[in-house]
Amino acid sequence: MTTQSATTTIPVSRPFFGPEEEALVAQVLRSGWVAQGPRVTELEKRFAEYVGAKHAIAVSSCATALHLVMTILGLHPGDEVICPSLSFIATANCIVHGGGTPVFVDVDPVTYNLSPERVEEAITPRTRAIMAVHQVGLPAAMNEILAIAARHNLPVIEDAAPAVGAEYFGRRIGAPHGLIACFSFDGRKILSSGEGGMITTGDDAIAGRLRKLRTQAMSMSDAARHSARQIVFEQYDEVGHNFRLTDIQAAVGIVQLSRLPELLTRRRYLAARYTEAFRSLGWLIPPTEPQGLVHNYQSYMPRLKKDSPISRDDLMQALLDRGISTRRGVMSIHREPPYRAVKWDRLLPESAALTDESIILPLFHSLTDQDQDFVIENIREIGSAPRS
Ligand SMILES: *Cc1c(COP(=O)(O)O)cnc(C)c1O
């Protein structure tokens, strides 16, 4: 057994922070303004510029971002939103929170993203929107999905939680492709502020409504109130939420955004090393990056072939025994208790197979080449041992 010199386990993911994040956070704490304020505004401006969007609206997570977006769709009971089952459960939960019903469609087994054909088949008179997910950082087939949406006059919402820095035919995700895109800055994402989210859109009215709704639909911003020279009283125009990001988190996000090119380069380098190693193995199918698309490798998720020398679960356990932490592939939401009422299984064979046959391997900025070689070597060894 190839053993690691260090006794610690190699985690599947680890955020990367330096003294710059610490310094800016300290500055915010000393400034006395820790709630949503100037740093949030700065992060929004920089994020909008980075992705090429007209508006960026910061919120407390991608889940709350998606929740707000579903709210402004004005869903009524029985209204349907098409989305993949192969995603994190937040993708579907936000539809329920918004008062609608998720309609799961299957994914393309090669890209792990929504199959445009399955999307078109799932459209009914009750469909109100299509939610595309750029799963594990690879853009979905937006041109095809947008064409279908246009034919049926439906908005396309992007769950871009894992897709910061990913590109679709020359434009970053979040630059208008769909109507609205939602990003995550949670602890496992490439750009992390602990928790956090960002919504981008090119639509002025939508941006304004989202800004209000994230702060209890208050008629004026804290900044406007703060700088007023005469007393002012705010009004609460509708039922809103507190989905705000703090300036403390925004400080972390600002520095992380400035690091993003470097973070993405390292990820793509490490992903290429895995892919190169697994090609020769023959039983672990590396993720693909179709022509014209740039994957950010938020997660590196290969799939085991049907005739692999070891099952996915046994591979995960054998790696854990050797100090290497992994995760199963992306979940299938339709298998979880809140979504089992409908018998989806017959409709979602590719999603279920991917959940069962894929694995997420360690990939993070500070993963050393040596530690990655240790992961690769162990996978090779485990796969060449006779099946017990
Ligand atoms: C991470 C993730 C989310 C949730 O993001 P949070 O910021 O943790 O709420 C939603 N959808 C997908 C596809 C994700 O990867």
Side-chain angles (χ1 to χ4, degrees), residues 335-354:
R335 290 173 163 179
E336 299 303 317
Y339 299 102
R340 280 186 206 153
V342 177
K343 295 283 161 250
W344 292 107
D345 273 327
R346 184 177 53 84
L347 303 166
L348 305 166
E350 303 291 359
S351 302
L354 268 167

Side-chain angles (χ1 to χ4, degrees), residues 152-167:
H152 297 271
N153 200 19
L154 294 168
V156 175
I157 309 301
E158 297 167 72
D159 177 348
V164 68
E167 293 174 27

Side-chain angles (χ1 to χ4, degrees), residues 300-344:
Y300 189 89
M301 184 174 124
R303 180 179 193 162
L304 280 75
K305 280 194 177 153
K306 302 268 184 221
D307 58 355
S308 289
I310 187 165
S311 74
R312 194 278 312 268
D313 292 2
D314 289 346
L315 174 61
M316 288 179 70
Q317 186 61 53
L319 285 169
L320 192 57
D321 293 344
R322 292 159 181 241
I324 299 164
S325 188
T326 61
R327 295 285 179 276
R328 68 169 174 185
V330 175
M331 65 187 293
S332 283
I333 301 170
H334 73 276
R335 290 173 163 179
E336 299 303 317
Y339 299 102
R340 280 186 206 153
V342 177
K343 295 283 161 250
W344 292 107

